[in-house]
Amino acid sequence: MANDDQREPVKTASFGATMKAVFWSFFGVRKRRDYEHDAANLNPIHVIVGGLIGVALFIGILVFVVRMVVAKS
């Protein structure tokens, strides 16, 4: 039986790995194994910042596409 002192420290994922997880979450494409790994290793602050960056990029792309379509009309 493992003692609490003998457990390996949990590594937190890098910001890049967090952005990758947020990117795939926007599409809803995550394997259960990857989801469980992310839930154990991602830093919540990184997830929030990554989500805000993802939303800003998404809105920016939508605005750009709409302006291009309206300009062509």
Side-chain angles (χ1 to χ4, degrees):
M1 192 164 175
N3 198 359
D4 285 341
D5 297 333
Q6 295 175 348
R7 289 184 187 169
E8 292 183 25
V10 177
K11 292 183 180 179
T12 57
S14 67
F15 187 71
T18 301
M19 286 303 295
K20 180 180 172 185
V22 169
F23 173 77
W24 285 114
S25 295
F26 267 85
F27 292 107
V29 183
R30 296 295 289 164
K31 293 181 182 176
R32 182 174 196 70
R33 176 180 49 98
D34 292 338
Y35 171 76
E36 291 171 355
H37 179 267
D38 291 344
N41 295 330
L42 292 179
N43 182 341
I45 301 299
H46 288 173
V47 173
I48 292 169
V49 171
L52 291 174
I53 291 170
V55 167
L57 287 172
F58 181 70
I59 291 171
I61 291 170
L62 286 178
V63 168
F64 176 75
V65 168
V66 168
R67 285 188 180 185
M68 293 300 291
V69 169
V70 170
K72 300 284 182 181
S73 298

